[in-house]
Amino acid sequence: MKPSNALLYFILLIMTSCGQPKVVEPEVYTYVEESHSYAKPNNAFITHLKLDISVNFETEIISGTATYDIKNNNSTQIVLDSKHLDIESVTADGKETEFSLGAKDKQLGQALTVTIGKNTKQIEIVYKTTKDTEALQWLKAQQTADKTHPFLFTQGQAILTRTWIPIQDSPQIRLTYEANVKVPKGLMAVMSAENPKEKSQDGLYHFKMKQPIPAYLIALAVGSFEYKAISERTGVYAEKTMLTKVHDEFSDMDKMVAAAEALYGKYAWDQFDVIVLPPSFPFGGMENPRLTFATPTVIAGDKSLTSLIAHELAHSWSGNLVTNATWNDFWLNEGFTVYFEMRIMEALYGKERADMLALISRQDLDEELESLKDTPNATKLKLDLKGKNPDDGMNSIAYDKGYLLLRTLEETVGRDKFDAFLKQYFKEHAFSTMTTEKFGTYLNTNLLEKHQITFNMDEWINQPGVPENQAVINSDKFTNVKRTLEEFLTTGKIDTSITTEWTSQEWVYFIRNFPKTMTVDQMKHLDSAFNFTNSSNSYIQMVWYEQALNHDYHGNNVDQKIEAFLTSVGRRWYVETIFKAFKRNNRLEDALKIYEKSRPNYHSVTATTIDDLLGYEPEPEEEELLK
Ligand code: BES
Ligand code: ZN
């Protein structure tokens, strides 16, 4: 390793034999060139962040100071990422120092270069967020469940943390953090850190994250919510009117943690809580350490959509403990996590349920391959996102092809060997980063060569599409669903004694597999039998609304329901699927009419995606808000 290429990393937490994190110093690792951060960590890098900020709901601005402990490798500059931030002043070891902001890049923002001395240990930045901040979504009371208090949440992944904190925003740079956060009295604040369980009297909160994490995992939510424990180490935060429902829905969380630990080693983050956010949250879930952020659309009342929790929990190993070194290696985060999610679901609920989830993933993969057929490079696991917003390159290939690769490996080498390998992999690379190439080498040495197995890893990683040796996924439950659907299509009848037993996965599979030739009458028949239009399960709603659009079905007031769904839910995957269906079925005008109304409820990541999809150009003031 060239010294110029080596990054001194003064705390490396490793897992000791008893499983407790231990601090070892100093350590060295290689910084891989990447195109989504201006940071030059070989010169100087942040090891610890202390935030002193206040959250103002009237001005919709966060302001305060950020103090950084830095490691300086004899440099006279430290470079941070910043985007749409108002930098007021900077000090180095207590004395005012010079700083400059580089040219603006639409995706990356600006390099913030601070002059430091060769012995500088600490810098401090006084700053404010602006109206253009992309990470933050400020919600009015009306946009929440209780409709009594405003709400704020952040979304950092992939490169948005720099829009609310000046930071070295590369997944390769890990830091610990603490924060003093002032919010209006009567509101509670939580972060991806040690969290309060009750509201404070004065609106002041203190946080500490003692394990080093990449910047994209720094997160904050502010609103009126309460905590309810599930076990000593798991629990939920939700608005008052939802708390009991949320608690019931996620009551298996502790069992999930236990199942995950049995597979791949001790949970490294002490506490595993989930906060259910307002419905505009742009993702199903986000794996912020110690505190997963989740959409309320998974609260179905029957625990049928809780694989999302298994997924975000799995990131506590794949992603948060062993982190993709660059966004080109995103499949290392998501593919591993989907594989792990399926294993947790299998451990808790059995093989039948896991098989259904796996086959849904397989079908998602086919759909994604079809939609990317003109851009085959986008179907490679190793991506090339240079010059692109990483958010645009993150399609479901990383998830579903990544999953299929790992499942294929499992079937090739056998589950016992694969599990032992993965457990070792997480243990050896805890609190560090991984590239696709480094993983390939590790896999070769520790699994394939060890057991004399040949495997076409290069084809899986660097070629488009799916190799021949892919695992074949079957589900008996879904075979029955297909049979029921075919019977209905030929006889016009459906045996409801079979369907009463169906889970939401079976319904989703049933609806998604309607043939092109499905008629409006058949749609009507099914809707009167099962009332899909008014389903209380968001996943069923999404796939049904897509089919209503595909088959020109307008019964049961479905058009109004679709509009209501799109104006209340901001989960990007749902919203995008439905708007794509409008577009595919030549109903762009209708889509734009709805979008005018729904857009103000969307977080910037959803709005950006839908703007592109529908060719929507926001009015200038609104653009200022969502840029
Ligand atoms: N980390 C992702 C969400 C994400 C990905 C945010 C890329 C920003 C950029 C999260 O773990 C995730 O995958 N969420 C999925 C859940 C699902 C696959 C169970 C989602 O939001 O739908
Ligand atoms: Zn994920």
Side-chain angles (χ1 to χ4, degrees):
M1 194 184 312
K2 277 186 275 145
S4 65
N5 211 17
L7 171 58
L8 278 175
Y9 189 44
F10 86 119
I11 45 170
L12 176 75
L13 292 170
I14 58 155
M15 308 303 280
T16 59
S17 50
C18 66
Q20 291 305 316
K22 188 182 159 198
V23 181
V24 179
E25 57 178 280
E27 263 299 330
V28 171
Y29 74 87
T30 310
Y31 180 73
V32 180
E33 283 306 313
E34 68 138 312
S35 46
H36 296 111
S37 170
Y38 291 111
K40 294 182 181 147
N42 292 330
N43 296 351
F45 61 95
I46 301 168
T47 59
H48 180 77
L49 162 70
K50 180 168 174 282
L51 282 176
D52 286 282
I53 51 173
S54 68
V55 175
N56 188 329
F57 279 89
E58 256 113 63
T59 55
E60 301 193 337
I61 278 173
I62 291 181
S63 59
T65 60
T67 311
Y68 312 79
D69 294 343
I70 63 170
K71 269 269 159 176
N72 184 3
N73 196 16
N74 259 328
S75 178
T76 52
Q77 287 183 337
I78 182 166
V79 186
L80 278 66
D81 295 295
S82 100
K83 192 176 182 191
H84 304 312
L85 290 175
D86 202 347
I87 309 290
E88 280 171 29
S89 63
V90 184
T91 56
D93 284 337
K95 287 191 219 80
E96 185 129 6
T97 188
E98 282 180 15
F99 69 93
S100 67
L101 282 162
K104 278 189 190 171
D105 180 277
K106 196 165 178 290
Q107 321 296 0
L108 305 181
Q110 292 170 283
L112 168 59
T113 305
V114 175
T115 303
I116 54 174
K118 291 197 170 162
N119 295 315
T120 301
K121 299 270 179 300
Q122 199 172 66
I123 60 168
E124 189 171 291
I125 300 181
V126 182
Y127 77 100
K128 280 193 184 85
T129 63
T130 61
K131 285 281 180 204
D132 299 334
T133 294
E134 291 158 301
L136 306 178
Q137 191 176 12
W138 300 89
L139 298 169
K140 304 275 182 241
Q142 209 44 39
Q143 292 166 287
T144 68
D146 290 359
K147 312 210 182 306
T148 53
H149 295 82
F151 207 107
L152 165 72
F153 65 82
T154 66
Q155 167 59 39
Q157 198 182 10
I159 55 169
L160 300 182
T161 299
R162 67 189 69 178
T163 75
W164 75 283
I165 311 171
I167 199 90
Q168 290 184 314
D169 199 5
S170 157
Q172 290 179 78
I173 301 169
R174 299 179 95 84
L175 56 140
T176 52
Y177 77 85
E178 64 195 290
N180 292 310
V181 180
K182 186 173 183 309
V183 304
K185 276 187 202 148
L187 296 187
M188 179 138 155
V190 287
M191 293 190 80
S192 49
E194 248 172 76
N195 274 315
K197 296 193 168 156
E198 267 162 34
K199 277 182 190 164
S200 73
Q201 294 299 310
D202 51 9
L204 291 176
Y205 294 90
H206 181 72
F207 302 93
K208 201 165 174 183
M209 165 45 81
K210 62 177 191 286
Q211 291 96 334
I213 57 168
Y216 77 88
L217 294 174
I218 303 174
L220 168 71
V222 182
S224 179
F225 38 76
E226 291 176 17
Y227 183 72
K228 195 166 157 124
I230 289 169
S231 66
E232 216 170 293
R233 60 174 172 178
T234 65
V236 292
Y237 291 87
E239 291 182 65
K240 203 184 185 76
T241 55
M242 291 184 69
L243 190 64
T244 309
K245 262 187 108 174
V246 168
H247 183 268
D248 291 350
E249 198 83 15
F250 296 160
S251 62
D252 289 342
M253 255 162 60
D254 193 83
K255 289 185 203 123
M256 288 187 178
V257 178
E261 286 190 317
L263 284 165
Y264 303 131
K266 195 170 168 16
Y267 180 72
W269 310 90
D270 307 323
Q271 189 74 20
F272 180 66
D273 293 327
V274 174
I275 180 169
V276 172
L277 298 169
S280 65
F281 184 59
F283 296 102
M286 177 64 214
E287 66 272 25
N288 298 314
R290 296 182 71 112
L291 181 65
T292 279
F293 283 21
T295 171
T297 62
V298 292
I299 311 297
D302 58 2
K303 301 188 180 179
S304 61
L305 303 179
T306 56
S307 59
L308 176 102
I309 302 298
H311 179 97
E312 304 313 334
L313 169 65
H315 275 304
S316 306
W317 286 259
S318 41
N320 299 1
L321 202 55
V322 184
T323 308
N324 54 204
T326 76
W327 297 114
N328 293 336
D329 306 299
F330 183 55
W331 80 275
L332 290 175
N333 274 19
E334 296 300 341
F336 273 72
T337 295
V338 174
Y339 175 79
F340 198 175
E341 166 196 342
M342 304 293 182
R343 295 294 304 275
I344 296 169
M345 293 305 282
E346 183 181 327
L348 259 77
Y349 307 108
K351 193 165 171 333
E352 269 182 353
R353 173 112 178 238
D355 283 345
M356 289 195 279
L357 294 170
L359 199 50
I360 289 178
S361 159
R362 188 66 193 78
Q363 206 165 44
D364 289 341
L365 176 57
D366 276 338
E367 281 184 16
E368 193 71 316
L369 289 170
E370 172 64 24
S371 79
L372 297 171
K373 64 175 185 299
D374 299 329
T375 50
N377 281 344
T379 72
K380 294 178 182 173
L381 281 177
K382 175 87 188 190
L383 296 167
D384 180 9
L385 300 173
K386 197 173 176 150
K388 286 190 201 148
N389 184 343
D391 217 34
D392 295 339
M394 290 169 164
N395 52 48
S396 59
I397 295 294
Y399 292 77
D400 300 313
K401 184 176 170 184
Y403 167 67
L404 192 58
L405 162 59
L406 295 167
R407 170 136 176 183
T408 304
L409 274 167
E410 180 208 306
E411 291 187 8
T412 308
V413 303
R415 186 172 269 195
D416 288 351
K417 289 193 183 101
F418 196 53
D419 280 351
F421 163 78
L422 286 180
K423 198 168 185 170
Q424 187 67 20
Y425 167 73
F426 287 123
K427 190 173 167 184
E428 278 179 29
H429 301 98
F431 298 104
S432 70
T433 49
M434 186 56 59
T435 62
T436 302
E437 296 72 21
K438 191 169 153 194
F439 174 70
T441 308
Y442 186 81
L443 177 83
N444 258 336
T445 315
N446 295 283
L447 188 70
L448 301 177
E449 282 168 10
K450 193 167 157 190
H451 301 293
Q452 289 155 15
I453 292 163
T454 48
F455 193 86
N456 52 338
M457 197 63 182
D458 184 60
E459 186 184 358
W460 276 93
I461 298 295
N462 296 315
Q463 296 298 319
V466 179
E468 289 280 326
N469 62 328
Q470 62 187 281
V472 178
I473 296 167
N474 281 311
S475 153
D476 296 341
K477 292 262 173 203
F478 281 180
T479 309
N480 288 332
V481 173
K482 265 228 156 114
R483 189 173 322 121
T484 308
L485 176 60
E486 273 151 24
E487 259 166 40
F488 168 72
L489 293 167
T490 47
T491 65
K493 292 202 189 77
I494 192 149
D495 184 353
T496 45
S497 70
I498 295 177
T499 57
T500 46
E501 300 294 314
W502 280 5
T503 60
S504 39
Q505 279 71 35
E506 284 155 299
W507 284 118
V508 165
Y509 192 74
F510 180 78
I511 296 167
R512 271 180 85 178
N513 285 289
F514 291 170
K516 279 218 168 67
T517 52
M518 186 95 164
T519 66
V520 171
D521 272 350
Q522 286 168 327
M523 292 287 291
K524 204 164 139 192
H525 183 131
L526 290 173
D527 206 13
S528 7
F530 305 111
N531 202 6
F532 294 132
T533 296
N534 296 302
S535 171
S536 55
N537 183 298
S538 64
Y539 199 2
I540 295 177
Q541 282 178 291
M542 194 247 315
V543 289
W544 175 254
Y545 297 156
E546 187 184 17
Q547 294 294 18
L549 290 157
N550 285 346
H551 298 281
D552 211 15
Y553 171 68
H554 302 278
N556 211 359
N557 280 333
V558 71
D559 294 288
Q560 273 136 289
K561 295 286 170 180
I562 294 174
E563 179 166 336
F565 189 79
L566 291 170
T567 42
S568 61
V569 173
R571 186 175 177 182
R572 180 169 66 176
W573 170 42
Y574 282 0
V575 168
E576 188 183 12
T577 303
I578 297 174
F579 277 123
K580 270 187 182 161
F582 270 101
K583 197 173 161 183
R584 183 173 344 112
N585 294 289
N586 303 316
R587 289 184 56 191
L588 196 59
E589 288 285 298
D590 293 340
L592 283 165
K593 260 189 222 146
I594 297 173
Y595 189 46
E596 288 276 354
K597 292 185 222 163
S598 65
R599 193 176 186 276
N601 191 43
Y602 295 161
H603 183 274
S604 73
V605 303
T606 299
T608 307
T609 301
I610 308 301
D611 286 352
D612 280 358
L613 176 71
L614 301 180
Y616 180 87
E617 299 220 358
E619 297 290 316
E621 305 108 289
E622 207 188 338
E623 188 178 20
E624 284 308 308
L625 276 168
L626 287 158
K627 212 163 28 191

